[in-house]
Amino acid sequence: MSVPAELKYTADHEWVRVEGDEIVIGVTDFAQGELGDVVFIEIETEGETLSKGEAFGTIEAVKTVSDLHMPLDGEVIEVNPTLEDTPELVNSEPFEGGWMIRVKMSDLSQLDELMSANEYEALIG
């Protein structure tokens, strides 16, 4: 299971890649493995400003449907268009082609609340 060191992580099993004052968000390798085969992703929050903890979309797998939660406050400025036709990228490329959204952060200090790769590895055991 991959836990790239350059990313930040949440207890909800999402990863965050920082790119200036924007972040890219996806689900971790651990999360996609627990979900099973991803068959549908619904994200209709592009252009909306959401608070940390709010749902920005849902992910549907063969086993279950789960909400996707904002790790930080910010405006959803882009949704990965590829996932509409190929949601299985979340399984095969969780950190590359399977990214979910790009967000313009409202409060950069919230990054300090996210977990490092080592902290996330300890969480998932």
Side-chain angles (χ1 to χ4, degrees), residues 65-77:
V65 177
S66 298
D67 284 337
L68 298 162
H69 295 99
M70 289 288 286
L72 308 165
D73 297 345
E75 178 188 356
V76 179
I77 57 174

Side-chain angles (χ1 to χ4, degrees), residues 5-94:
E6 70 277 9
L7 303 177
K8 299 279 196 173
Y9 298 88
T10 72
D12 289 328
H13 307 288
E14 291 159 350
W15 58 262
V16 173
R17 182 173 60 237
V18 180
E19 297 179 352
D21 65 347
E22 296 177 0
I23 57 173
V24 177
I25 302 167
V27 298
T28 65
D29 194 18
F30 175 83
Q32 70 80 21
E34 292 293 301
L35 286 167
D37 293 337
V38 174
V39 295
F40 184 71
I41 295 170
E42 182 174 33
I43 302 172
E44 296 179 347
T45 50
E46 189 168 356
E48 294 183 27
T49 298
L50 301 172
S51 298
K52 178 182 173 181
E54 278 190 87
F56 67 80
T58 58
I59 185 168
E60 183 177 342
V62 174
K63 298 182 200 175
T64 187
V65 177
S66 298
D67 284 337
L68 298 162
H69 295 99
M70 289 288 286
L72 308 165
D73 297 345
E75 178 188 356
V76 179
I77 57 174
E78 185 181 1
V79 174
N80 184 345
T82 310
L83 295 181
E84 188 172 334
D85 294 327
T86 52
E88 63 274 8
L89 283 175
V90 172
N91 295 116
S92 62
E93 300 179 24

